[in-house]
Amino acid sequence: MTGILDISQYTPRGLMQLSAIASLLGTSGGKGARYVANFDEDTTTMAIEAIRMLESDAVNSASSLWMATTSPAYMLKSNATAVHAATQMRREVPSFDVGVSLRSAFGSLRAAHDSRGIAVLSDTWSGLPGGDDEKLGADAAGAVVFGSDENSIAIIKHWKSSSVEVLERWKLPTEIDSQSWDDRFGAEALGAILNSLLESENISDKSIIAISSANPRSASLAAGSVGGARVIPNMEHGFSGVADTVHKLAAALEIAQPGDNILLVLISDGIELVMMEVTERIKYWQMQNENRNTQRLSKHEVKYADFLSWRGRLSRQVPRRPEPQAPASPPSFRNSDWKFGLVAAKCLECGAVHAPPEHRCRGCGQVGNFEPSSLSRLRGTVVTFTIDKLAYTPAPPLVLVVVDFGNGARASFEVTDSDSSEISIGLKVELVFRRINTAAGVHNYFWKVRPIPNF
């Protein structure tokens, strides 16, 4: 049988108070806050971070990669291949994009289950300024890796599906905002179908129900029909599109005990359902998950004007310097190991590490005698930095640092997820994959660094 080996949840560090919406627009902004992807984040970079949070052994054992999103960074060109490259998966491991509806969440999960691979789900969710999608939405990603049942935290028992053609929520390819009918319509149209599927499930007080839906009324009605089962509430950071399914599942696993049954449900253009049984290994996963999610505790405030600007809804004057040029395809292809995997070159003669890779060793002068050495999971120390208030960036100033990795390698990176006042010599930083810029319709991806939270 096949089960879940590991699951991760990625949330951006940006946090926007909903009261800021009311302050600017003079309308009701709601209570609480929502997670906001930084200006250099998109669904591809968040997907990469979600996979990097998984245990490396589980990732290395995966036989496929399936990426789902309703907000792809590229159309036509694969986004999954960039995720594949940045996470340094083996070239023979196939990678596929699954989209662009909310049902693609279960499409990627089922495909990954059947092939014992990884499903990564990533979305940026928002709508018109002041609207419910903006206030109740969130940006997030999550990843699930499937494998053999003896190493699983939960064993998949069965899947059920009911596909229904219903016009509840939609968006044209040329539009950025979705439309929907009244919430009551969707809840009534799909409620009876969901109830019939739930009647055949063995739901008890040992069951945990996690329901994902863009329609809050549908989720509430479904939660009221599951008897004494424990129901996972809506996520505190908001509805995150396809990623909401993974975050709901992770929330269920966080409170589960060995022997519990988890019923994961998606309500969108029909009903998707999967039943799983929690194993003894859940205790180990809960401990590991608590440790690695400490990054979610470190947040920085995002202004509403910045959020609107990053979403393309507010045009602002940027530093009047020449805009960046699009990266050329041939050099990007030749240097893809460095550009996406941050793979440096280690001299086999003297051990010097060159970042980026070089043909001749600076230490001993040997030519071509190197082995690959990835830096992407290393932490480093800032040895010098500069704050450039004139360079082009959507969020000035541009901060550049030189990082020492402690193995002889030093390299220059942009800083993200940080205020310039936080940067100092000796600061400990970690690497994250981000979008440097976009020019001529081409995203230029590379690695940046950010301060390590709670270091």
Side-chain angles (χ1 to χ4, degrees):
M1 298 181 68
T2 300
I4 296 173
L5 301 182
D6 197 9
I7 180 171
S8 67
Q9 313 154 75
Y10 174 77
T11 53
R13 288 194 180 178
L15 196 66
M16 183 180 73
Q17 299 297 324
L18 299 184
S19 58
I21 300 175
S23 177
L24 182 63
L25 300 182
T27 60
S28 173
K31 297 180 180 180
R34 61 159 288 168
Y35 290 161
V36 174
N38 207 344
F39 74 94
D40 55 0
E41 290 187 284
D42 58 24
T43 52
T44 296
T45 66
M46 291 196 298
I48 290 166
E49 290 306 312
I51 293 180
R52 277 161 48 84
M53 294 173 70
L54 295 170
E55 286 194 340
S56 57
D57 288 345
V59 174
N60 294 335
S61 68
S63 59
S64 61
L65 173 65
W66 306 82
M67 177 181 173
T69 181
T70 66
S71 308
Y74 281 116
M75 297 293 290
L76 186 63
K77 185 196 179 305
S78 172
N79 301 283
T81 54
V83 176
H84 184 285
T87 53
Q88 300 176 55
M89 298 184 72
R90 303 184 312 277
R91 182 162 290 185
E92 62 269 21
V93 174
S95 59
F96 301 100
D97 295 72
V98 185
V100 284
S101 70
L102 289 174
R103 287 180 67 80
S104 66
F106 257 67
S108 62
L109 289 172
R110 295 191 70 159
H113 166 267
D114 293 347
S115 59
R116 293 193 172 181
I118 297 175
V120 60
L121 295 78
S122 180
D123 247 339
T124 52
W125 193 266
S126 62
L128 290 170
D132 287 343
D133 281 344
E134 181 185 72
K135 290 184 289 186
L136 303 178
D139 305 332
V144 183
V145 56
F146 294 88
S148 59
D149 56 356
E150 62 265 22
N151 297 316
S152 298
I153 60 175
I155 305 297
I156 304 301
K157 293 299 185 180
H158 60 258
W159 304 78
K160 290 184 180 179
S161 179
S162 179
S163 299
V164 179
E165 169 51 33
V166 54
L167 190 62
E168 180 189 18
R169 178 177 290 271
W170 68 96
K171 181 174 66 174
L172 294 177
T174 55
E175 297 177 340
I176 61 174
D177 299 310
S178 64
Q179 303 177 63
S180 64
W181 290 113
D182 186 276
D183 288 348
R184 291 171 295 181
F185 167 74
E188 294 170 0
L190 299 175
I193 300 172
L194 175 60
N195 287 335
S196 65
L197 290 178
L198 293 178
E199 286 175 0
S200 61
E201 298 295 332
N202 184 22
I203 298 176
S204 67
D205 57 3
K206 291 282 289 181
S207 300
I208 304 174
I209 314 296
I211 302 168
S212 178
S213 175
N215 183 343
R217 186 181 291 267
S218 292
S220 298
L221 288 177
S225 61
V226 293
R230 289 164 288 173
V231 178
I232 299 301
N234 288 333
M235 308 312 296
E236 63 175 356
H237 58 258
F239 179 76
S240 52
V242 296
D244 185 73
T245 302
V246 177
H247 283 250
K248 288 282 178 62
L249 175 56
L253 289 167
E254 286 171 356
I255 64 170
Q257 296 297 317
D260 286 349
N261 290 319
I262 295 178
L263 188 64
L264 179 65
V265 178
L266 172 66
I267 306 175
S268 178
D269 295 300
I271 308 295
E272 294 296 325
L273 177 154
V274 59
M275 174 68 81
M276 62 192 76
E277 182 179 348
V278 179
T279 72
E280 289 288 339
R281 193 169 171 80
I282 190 65
K283 298 176 182 178
Y284 168 79
W285 178 84
Q286 288 169 344
M287 179 181 65
Q288 294 294 105
N289 191 56
E290 183 177 358
N291 291 336
R292 70 187 175 194
N293 283 337
T294 54
Q295 63 92 14
R296 289 188 292 170
L297 303 177
S298 176
K299 299 297 178 185
H300 69 263
E301 197 75 20
V302 173
K303 298 177 181 178
Y304 186 44
D306 289 334
F307 171 78
L308 293 176
S309 178
W310 299 344
R311 287 295 196 270
R313 299 186 181 278
L314 178 64
S315 297
R316 302 170 69 176
Q317 177 68 60
V318 297
R320 287 174 285 182
R321 293 292 183 272
E323 294 191 4
Q325 298 295 311
S329 183
S332 295
F333 176 74
R334 289 194 300 268
N335 299 291
S336 61
D337 285 348
W338 169 252
K339 181 176 177 61
F340 288 93
L342 206 67
V343 178
K346 181 178 180 179
C347 178
L348 292 175
E349 186 69 24
C350 70
V353 180
H354 301 269
E358 295 185 12
H359 183 62
R360 178 186 295 273
C361 178
R362 295 191 303 269
C364 64
Q366 291 288 330
V367 177
N369 191 22
F370 297 94
E371 67 176 0
S373 177
S374 177
L375 306 178
S376 63
R377 293 188 177 274
L378 298 181
R379 294 180 168 184
T381 303
V382 173
V383 294
T384 188
F385 67 93
T386 183
I387 299 175
D388 191 336
K389 298 182 179 180
L390 298 178
Y392 177 88
T393 173
L398 179 69
V399 182
L400 293 170
V401 297
V402 174
V403 178
D404 187 295
F405 292 98
N407 61 357
R410 287 189 175 188
S412 176
F413 299 93
E414 290 185 23
V415 176
T416 189
D417 291 350
S418 175
D419 187 89
S420 60
S421 62
E422 300 178 47
I423 308 305
S424 61
I425 294 175
L427 180 70
K428 303 297 182 181
V429 294
E430 62 186 0
L431 288 151
V432 289
F433 193 79
R434 293 295 171 90
R435 192 177 63 236
I436 300 296
N437 54 57
T438 299
V442 178
H443 300 310
N444 185 14
Y445 291 112
F446 191 57
W447 296 84
K448 295 186 180 182
V449 296
R450 67 180 181 185
I452 298 174
N454 307 318
F455 188 85

